[in-house]
Amino acid sequence: EVPVPGKVSTRYDLEKETELRFEVESGEAVEQIELELLTGMAEVFGSELNRNKKYTFGAGAKIAVFTWQGCSVNLYGKPEVAYVSKDTPMLLYLNTHAALEQMRRQAERDNERGPRVMVVGPTDVGKSTVCRLLLSYAVRVGRRPTLVELDVGQSGVSVPGTVSALCIERPADVEEGFSVQAPLVYHFGSTTPGTNIKLYNKLTSCLAEVYSQRCEVNRKASVGGCIINTCGWVKGSGYQALVHCASAFEVDVVLVLDHERLYNELKRDLPHFVRVVLLPKSGGVVERSKECRRDTRDEKIREYFYGFRGVTFYPFSYEVRFSDVRIYKIGAPSIPDSCLPLGMSQDDTQLKLVPVTPGRDLTYHVLSVSSAEDGEEGARKGIVESPVCGFIVVTNVDTQTQVMKVLSPAPRPLPRHTLLIMDIRFMDSK
Ligand code: ATP
């Protein structure tokens, strides 16, 4: 126990099956909080703490240190809130993991596939946290599960406005979460599925297909199964999107967090062999305001370009000629059915590629660089279903010289020339 200079330290002795919850103030220039395990064993969202190592948490972090056997920890610095709770659903979450592990064992034995699990519920019930927990527990027992991230508002894998899949090979880092290497990412373009539900469902199907293909050639991925994190929009088309996802992925288990009606609806609408389970949310999950969500999204984009914590990236800024790229928006504005050209349906318009003429209003927009091969018409077909290879932000547009300036993680030239525009904007304050 070495004191941290200039910081107050508070010791907490935790009994077994209790958790210490704390929050770091949000905003700029706030004091970071360090956490240290002194005795016993403890974990943060499924990842074990090492003893006598100081873990640092920055602005806005909301953390729970849970112990199965009892432990004592120190916090250095003054958190906004810190309290110990005896009332946690962790035992239920662990049982859920045990049940999934049972299914994996059976899959291994019978040469079948492991459990495909969809985690659903309204906003702020801890869906992402439950996914992280189940994935970390699974890797800790030697599995290789896949995280499927369908939350376009608060993606844990890539920038907002995307859906993605990531193979999990080691438990989440206590401070930084899962290591994101080579994720499979698709462009959606906005922070809510409602802006283009057809596209959202289409991308869900794309991910399901790629995942299934991987399972066919990779036995470990197949047995490990997947954990699908979804959006908090559970009514109307949002609900339909969940039903669609369940069928696209052929899910075996649906975990419904804290929403009895949703639980009953899914039980009614999904095939009888799908196990729908209602789980309570943790009292520790903190509600996040609109501003807080927006800040988190902004931060995610900043991290993409500038790195975070120990890792600093140095993005590039360069000019791109309009004539060298093709920019599209996916989805034309919807028009009344009666006005559609003969033989065209509303679906077609939502998945249509609409060319964007670069203008000043392009400034600050995030653009996805599509991995689709450059080329004319023929290639245009596959663009919606092609993963993206990265993102750039337009920082300036000069219509006179027909040139735009972009912020890019890699030096020029762009690896591909098909760009997809997002509704999302990012103002670079660096
Ligand atoms: P969204 O509405 O974005 O889908 P969600 O349902 O996925 O949200 P999480 O992101 O899992 O919710 O949790 C919200 C916040 O609460 C996170 O910052 C997380 O770290 C925190 N949190 C979750 N569980 C606990 C807990 N037991 N104690 C303290 N904080 C917690």
Side-chain angles (χ1 to χ4, degrees), residues 119-179:
V119 180
V120 303
T123 47
D124 295 323
V125 286
K127 293 183 294 299
S128 315
T129 307
V130 168
C131 291
R132 173 168 167 178
L133 201 68
L134 294 175
L135 290 162
S136 283
Y137 284 164
V139 260
R140 277 169 66 179
V141 294
R143 303 298 179 186
R144 291 290 173 270
T146 300
L147 165 63
V148 177
E149 179 61 87
L150 296 181
D151 190 345
V152 288
Q154 311 276 317
S155 170
V157 175
S158 187
V159 303
T162 60
V163 295
S164 49
L166 180 70
C167 314
I168 305 297
E169 307 200 304
R170 61 189 91 105
D173 181 86
V174 171
E175 297 161 320
E176 294 169 18
F178 290 113
S179 137

Side-chain angles (χ1 to χ4, degrees), residues 59-361:
K62 299 164 183 31
I63 304 297
V65 186
F66 181 86
T67 177
W68 293 106
Q69 298 89 353
C71 72
S72 49
V73 298
N74 246 353
L75 286 189
Y76 302 95
K78 250 184 92 48
E80 193 168 22
V81 219
Y83 65 97
V84 176
S85 173
K86 293 189 169 146
D87 186 16
T88 86
M90 284 294 282
L91 200 57
L92 290 170
Y93 295 168
L94 182 70
N95 283 340
T96 308
H97 158 72
L100 296 179
E101 187 46 29
Q102 198 66 43
M103 292 169 82
R104 291 186 192 104
R105 266 190 225 138
Q106 196 172 344
E108 218 161 27
R109 220 176 27 235
D110 305 344
N111 208 16
E112 302 238 355
R113 59 177 178 75
R116 299 179 174 192
V117 185
M118 181 168 86
V119 180
V120 303
T123 47
D124 295 323
V125 286
K127 293 183 294 299
S128 315
T129 307
V130 168
C131 291
R132 173 168 167 178
L133 201 68
L134 294 175
L135 290 162
S136 283
Y137 284 164
V139 260
R140 277 169 66 179
V141 294
R143 303 298 179 186
R144 291 290 173 270
T146 300
L147 165 63
V148 177
E149 179 61 87
L150 296 181
D151 190 345
V152 288
Q154 311 276 317
S155 170
V157 175
S158 187
V159 303
T162 60
V163 295
S164 49
L166 180 70
C167 314
I168 305 297
E169 307 200 304
R170 61 189 91 105
D173 181 86
V174 171
E175 297 161 320
E176 294 169 18
F178 290 113
S179 137
V180 179
Q181 273 163 4
L184 176 72
V185 183
Y186 289 94
H187 167 96
F188 177 67
S190 121
T191 56
T192 139
T195 44
N196 192 340
I197 199 78
K198 287 272 152 44
L199 175 61
Y200 185 76
N201 287 337
K202 172 108 195 165
L203 297 177
T204 305
S205 301
C206 283
L207 279 171
E209 204 179 306
V210 176
Y211 173 63
S212 292
Q213 282 167 2
R214 183 174 151 84
C215 288
E216 265 167 40
V217 295
N218 186 322
R219 189 72 194 126
K220 278 209 97 162
S222 174
V223 170
C226 66
I227 311 272
I228 309 168
N229 189 22
T230 60
C231 284
W233 183 31
V234 296
K235 287 190 195 145
S237 308
Y239 176 75
Q240 291 309 329
L242 295 178
V243 175
H244 169 79
C245 172
S247 116
F249 275 90
E250 299 175 340
V251 302
D252 310 286
V253 178
V254 179
L255 303 177
V256 186
L257 285 173
D258 197 51
H259 201 303
E260 216 172 319
R261 204 192 62 213
L262 180 62
Y263 163 75
N264 283 311
E265 284 173 341
L266 287 168
K267 256 181 95 121
R268 183 193 64 203
D269 295 342
L270 296 180
H272 65 276
F273 52 81
V274 179
R275 280 183 241 184
V276 186
V277 183
L278 182 64
L279 287 173
K281 74 167 188 183
S282 165
V285 179
V286 189
E287 266 184 40
R288 288 168 297 172
S289 62
K290 260 204 166 111
E291 291 72 45
C292 179
R293 282 169 191 277
R294 204 192 40 226
D295 288 352
T296 320
R297 283 202 283 270
D298 238 39
E299 197 43 46
K300 209 69 203 173
I301 302 175
R302 193 177 315 280
E303 279 170 15
Y304 176 78
F305 289 104
Y306 292 99
F308 71 135
R309 292 181 177 273
V311 196
T312 311
F313 300 152
Y314 298 94
F316 298 81
S317 177
Y318 57 84
E319 290 181 337
V320 175
R321 278 195 307 221
F322 294 170
S323 57
D324 286 344
V325 291
R326 278 171 297 279
I327 308 175
Y328 299 105
K329 177 176 167 36
I330 305 180
S334 67
I335 36 177
D337 283 336
S338 57
C339 301
L340 282 172
L342 207 62
M344 214 177 166
S345 72
Q346 215 56 260
D347 293 21
D348 301 330
T349 62
Q350 285 205 292
L351 298 178
K352 204 173 133 89
L353 284 175
V354 185
V356 175
T357 321
R360 211 152 278 137
D361 52 357

